[in-house]
Amino acid sequence: PASLPVGASLPGPENLSESKEPSLARRKRDPGSGRGEDDEVVEEEDLAPNWRGDAAVSSSVGQVRSGRGMSPGRDSSPHKTSSFEERDGEESWRSSRDGHAVMGRAESFASPGQFGMDLSAANTRKGSHVSPGPTQGGDRRGTGRTRNNSESARAAPSVDRRRQLSESQADIMNTSDGRAALRQLGTPRGSPHAPCSTPGDRKNRNKTPRGRKKVFEAYMSREEVSAGLKRKQLIQGPLRINPKKYHEAFIPSPDGIRDIFIDGVVARNRALNGDIVVVKLLPKDQWKVIKPEGGDNEAEATQESDASGNPPGASIRNDPAKGDADSPDVIVEAQVDDDNEDLEKGQESSQEVRDLRQLSLGAGEMGRDPEACSGHHAKCEDSPKADDSEKFLQKTGKVVYILEKKHSRAAMGSLRLLTDRNSELFKKCAMFSPVDHRLPRAYVSLADCPPDFASRPEDYSSTLFICRIVDWREDSNFAIGQLAQSLGQAGEIEPETEGILTEYGVDFSDFSPEVLQCLPQSLPWVIPPEELAKRRDLREECIFTIDPSTARDLDDALSCTLLPDGNFEVGVHIADVSYFVLEGTALDKMASKRATSVYLVQKVIPMLPRLLCEELCSLNPMADRLTFSVIWKLTPEGKILDEWFGRTVIRSCTKLSYDHAQSMIESPGKAFTAEDLPPVSPQHSIDEIHRAVLNLHQIAKELRKQRFVSGALRLDQLKLSFTLDKESGMPQGCYVYQYRDSNKLVEEFMLLANMAVAHQIYRSFPAQALLRRHPPPQTKLMDALAEFCGQMGLDIDFSSAGSLHKSLRETVGTGKYAEAKTAVLTNMFSRPMQMALYFCTGVLEDEALFCHYALNVPLYTHFTSPIRRFPDILVHRLLSASLGAGPALRMNRDEIQKQADHCNDRKMAAKRVQELSSELFFAVYVKEHGPLESEAIVMGVLNEAFDVLVLNYGIQKRIYCNALPLVGFHFQKVGKKPQLSLMWEPESPGQEAVQQEITVFTLLEVALKSDSGPLKYSAVLKRPSGGEGGAS
């Protein structure tokens, strides 16, 4: 893609890797990209994440209905108000312009900081039109495109639309997550951060021009924040913005019971998703009231990843002044870790807000914030229950300070000209509209736009750009941005992918010469004799890998030998990446910064150079490789009799795929031949390998059974995989990934190794060990889910992870549709789950906090994937030091914790990127191969709509009654179960209307069809008789 000139103050790409975008998603593989999310078998805490398309609703500004937070007398003409703003901006520009140029072109153009001050007057009239309180809802940006797309672009025919809004009026609603360049720690109170600003600039910009109304509060000083945190008058935590109701945001509550609600753009005070913020609680009379039973009011978005955690069937009674009654309803979904590694509440789903008349919350709508998982203070025991008087209250607050800007401050979106062609501002800047609705629109310099953009803007209507937000002032609803790059056409895979990677701060640049210089320079590389002498030589042992057939980065191998006494010697052998990545080198610094490989559908963005990933560290067959091994003496029942850790050297005898291993498991008596398997070392027979796989399988079954008897929990969600055309790279097919016995075999021994190493490094370094903890679910959400299950007649025991796992299996049974019902319940039960987190043991005093809820074990870590996860490299170094085989780790506990936090951030960003990649490919697949027919099962019922899980593809959709050809429909509760009765129009004269009952677990037939516009598709419900009904 062509790069556009950018100013000297443009933040460099190094800032991108610092971002955090909590979110959730799916790691898929293409041929040759190594082990992917759908192929990974690492931990029981890992869920097989489901891929679901998300709602993408896009309508023009003129189609957006007004919110209650607007003054009734406001002018609704977009052109008129925009002209006022631009004239105001122009006047301010003239009065304050100092004539210096810093944006690379156009000598008369001002610096980002000056630009922000000049333009702030343009927002004065906007501020006077809009209530200073948080404004709910938001326009659907008129770019003709949104990122997420499982929902139809068209709303239900009879759905009330928002009134037309002006560009400025709509924008205050859109700025729910403007990428503000907020001030750094130590800068004067109220001083926005801008590149290259001088003390004088900061002093001047801290002043609000006479008569100009502030939109946002000035930030507290660092001293005030420090004192407030010490006195516990302020609360800090990561900000999570609801991706579907982007006026809603949350931070975790210190008591771990229910998240603190940040209501509206103004209360969020220019903080971005993932930023570490300081929040001041509002008075109790301003807290959110949650009604115990749903009524006719619009319900809280309960399945949303960033929902506030309301009980099923609950509606929110909002202050009318806040305009919540007309805020759009949305679909929500539970997402899980992108690489099958954590049983945790799903990542933020990508479905966008959707207009809908007020709905009451019905069965599938369980509220939960996707990443409500800071959980630093959460314990493995249930938190004490709140008093009944506060049972239906949720604390609310406002952001008063930004402790750390985690967001990349990069956005993907489109450009358009301003509306008033006669204004001077029209000649200076254009409007950038991000694809992500949580980001603010931004003024960008025309000097940064393509040369012919001003004369031929229509040529760029479907072009994607990357913009970096450099400022967002207190008195402005618009941010100030700088264009960095033109990506290409919206809807095309590569431009969309590059935009996603950039926006989420994934470093996909080539490795620098300094990094490559750290690699072995003399190739082909051979293991030095002195290194061989230090290691246990296992090259004659029968050791093999089991991976996806397309995998290139093979970082784990297995061995199993029958001993004379009837027991087994079982080994897990992990690539010794720490031998090549030495602490303090340029390679180490780059790996620690990237923190994780990112697996997209079509490619992988590696953490390490490919020479290591695919060659020197990869445990390729018939090649000598350095490894770190854990070797046990086990009984046939999986009881550990002995355990050994050490550095080794191995020579894998073959590279089995999961399919090969599964065939061996399913055909124990078959005599496999060379034609049935990949090449095998002549030192070992095929029969020897077959026996080893069968023995490992039998031991793994025992280990798995023991884990669940001991109280472990697993929630497997549907997960979508793709097959790609080898030439075009386009999706040729997609299917729900099957998790089989061969996957479980590998997983059990990876879990066993991770737990063993966790105990070893914690014993040796109680203040430095890098472990992984999984806090228990939030109490309020679990209580709400238990109440909902009771209403549905489901006998679920929520007292522990193990009881939840057991009762889920018993409740579903083994009937014809047990698998579909399991998918629905798994989705519901995933919503209250918190995120698993890396941490340093020295920073947590209470050892009870170390526990892993889903695995139900006291200590756990990541050891088995050092090629793609930096925490594993640190764990290898700690393990080596604990055995006296390597130097002590030079990092202290605070440095380890800082790295752990960064790895958590990058893991969540990678998860979101992987999810968006899957959504992109699925939307393209629907467009190229649709309509796609499938069975679907109802997950939740509202009073005018219902949510379904499309079983063939694992995606969730919402279907609206007033988008169907119905004579009528009726919502009621049968007992406490919500039910919709649909009366279908006769297909021909003389026929009677067909009645259809919709309740949770109802099976339906749907078809997925591509809509007009890029990356949009809708679900079509079929008539009960087999004819099609309408679009969702």
Side-chain angles (χ1 to χ4, degrees), residues 941-953:
V941 179
L942 293 82
N943 64 348
E944 296 183 359
F946 51 96
D947 296 329
V948 299
L949 177 65
V950 183
L951 295 175
N952 286 359
Y953 306 104

Side-chain angles (χ1 to χ4, degrees), residues 277-354:
V277 299
V278 176
V279 167
K280 181 179 180 180
L281 291 181
L282 297 178
K284 192 171 181 178
D285 60 1
Q286 296 183 39
W287 292 1
K288 178 184 285 188
V289 179
I290 303 170
K291 298 200 307 185
E293 292 294 337
D296 292 331
N297 294 330
E298 180 183 4
E300 186 76 3
T302 51
Q303 300 173 33
E304 298 166 355
S305 19
D306 275 319
S308 59
N310 304 303
S315 293
I316 307 306
R317 186 166 63 237
N318 294 297
D319 184 346
K322 297 185 178 181
D324 236 19
D326 290 324
S327 55
D329 202 292
V330 302
I331 278 193
V332 293
E333 55 193 56
Q335 308 256 356
V336 288
D337 189 32
D338 49 336
D339 47 355
N340 274 354
E341 291 183 311
D342 308 305
L343 175 59
E344 20 185 84
K345 168 62 179 88
Q347 289 313 292
E348 58 184 89
S349 78
S350 55
Q351 293 171 314
E352 305 297 339
V353 287
R354 174 119 184 189

Side-chain angles (χ1 to χ4, degrees), residues 65-69 136-138 160 162 173 247 298 318 322-329 354-358:
R65 52 183 184 161
S66 63
R68 193 176 293 178
Q136 305 302 327
D160 293 336
R162 292 181 182 269
M173 305 173 72
H247 58 279
E298 180 183 4
N318 294 297
K322 297 185 178 181
D324 236 19
D326 290 324
S327 55
D329 202 292
R354 174 119 184 189
D355 278 314
L356 182 66
R357 285 186 296 173
Q358 300 171 346

Side-chain angles (χ1 to χ4, degrees), residues 486-794:
S486 172
L487 295 174
Q489 292 298 300
E492 295 182 358
I493 287 176
E494 287 310 312
E496 294 277 357
T497 298
E498 185 172 348
I500 291 168
L501 292 171
T502 303
E503 185 168 335
Y504 285 87
V506 176
D507 184 355
F508 56 96
S509 62
D510 293 336
F511 290 97
S512 69
E514 292 77 15
V515 169
L516 298 178
Q517 192 63 36
C518 298
L519 304 177
Q521 300 299 303
S522 178
L523 300 175
W525 179 83
V526 294
I527 301 173
E530 59 271 20
E531 186 61 32
L532 280 175
K534 300 176 185 177
R535 294 174 178 259
R536 181 173 172 178
D537 193 341
L538 302 177
R539 287 178 289 179
E540 301 302 316
E541 301 291 329
C542 179
I543 298 175
F544 48 87
T545 59
I546 303 177
D547 285 280
S549 58
T550 57
R552 293 179 182 175
D553 49 353
L554 315 179
D555 49 13
D556 58 86
L558 294 166
S559 62
C560 183
T561 304
L562 177 63
L563 300 175
D565 61 2
N567 295 314
F568 295 91
E569 183 180 84
V570 176
V572 169
H573 314 278
I574 306 301
D576 190 359
V577 178
S578 62
Y579 173 84
F580 297 95
V581 183
L582 300 178
E583 188 173 2
T585 62
L587 177 59
D588 178 51
K589 293 176 182 177
M590 174 55 70
S592 68
K593 188 175 181 181
R594 292 195 176 195
T596 181
S597 295
V598 180
Y599 291 86
L600 309 174
V601 171
Q602 77 276 34
K603 60 185 175 182
V604 59
I605 310 299
M607 181 182 75
L608 297 171
R610 295 192 183 275
L611 177 63
L612 295 184
C613 289
E614 299 175 7
E615 297 183 46
L616 303 187
C617 292
S618 184
L619 307 183
N620 298 327
M622 278 77 82
D624 293 355
R625 289 293 181 258
L626 301 177
T627 49
F628 229 134
S629 299
V630 185
I631 300 175
W632 302 275
K633 183 178 181 180
L634 298 175
T635 68
E637 295 76 32
K639 181 180 179 181
I640 298 175
L641 302 176
D642 193 22
E643 184 175 73
W644 180 86
F645 302 92
R647 284 189 140 149
T648 54
V649 56
I650 70 167
R651 183 185 297 138
S652 172
C653 63
T654 189
K655 175 192 174 185
L656 297 178
S657 69
Y658 285 121
D659 290 336
H660 294 136
Q662 188 66 29
S663 296
M664 290 180 169
I665 291 170
E666 293 175 352
S667 305
K670 178 180 178 180
F672 285 84
T673 65
E675 289 73 27
D676 298 322
L677 299 175
V680 176
S681 168
Q683 293 178 298
H684 302 280
S685 68
I686 293 177
D687 184 61
E688 181 183 7
I689 296 170
H690 190 186
R691 288 197 308 269
V693 170
L694 291 176
N695 288 332
L696 287 170
H697 170 59
Q698 292 302 321
I699 298 172
K701 287 200 300 183
E702 293 295 327
L703 292 172
R704 189 176 183 85
K705 182 174 69 174
Q706 292 169 22
R707 284 197 307 105
F708 289 118
V709 168
S710 298
L713 167 66
R714 184 178 183 93
L715 298 175
D716 286 318
Q717 299 198 49
L718 300 180
K719 176 178 53 174
L720 194 62
S721 297
F722 296 86
T723 56
L724 306 179
D725 184 271
K726 292 182 179 179
E727 295 183 0
S728 66
M730 296 289 282
Q732 280 186 321
C734 61
Y735 56 93
V736 173
Y737 185 78
Q738 296 298 312
Y739 186 73
R740 300 175 295 175
D741 285 339
S742 56
N743 302 85
K744 296 174 184 177
L745 182 160
V746 176
E747 178 185 49
E748 287 306 316
F749 290 106
M750 298 303 109
L751 285 168
L752 196 64
N754 285 335
M755 290 186 283
V757 171
H759 283 274
Q760 171 68 17
I761 63 175
Y762 182 54
R763 281 194 302 266
S764 302
F765 305 106
Q768 276 187 299
L770 179 66
L771 301 184
R772 189 161 177 81
R773 66 190 185 93
H774 183 206
Q778 289 195 351
T779 305
K780 289 284 187 182
L781 298 179
M782 289 297 279
D783 290 346
L785 184 56
E787 182 180 352
F788 164 71
C789 289
Q791 293 174 356
M792 294 300 299
L794 302 173

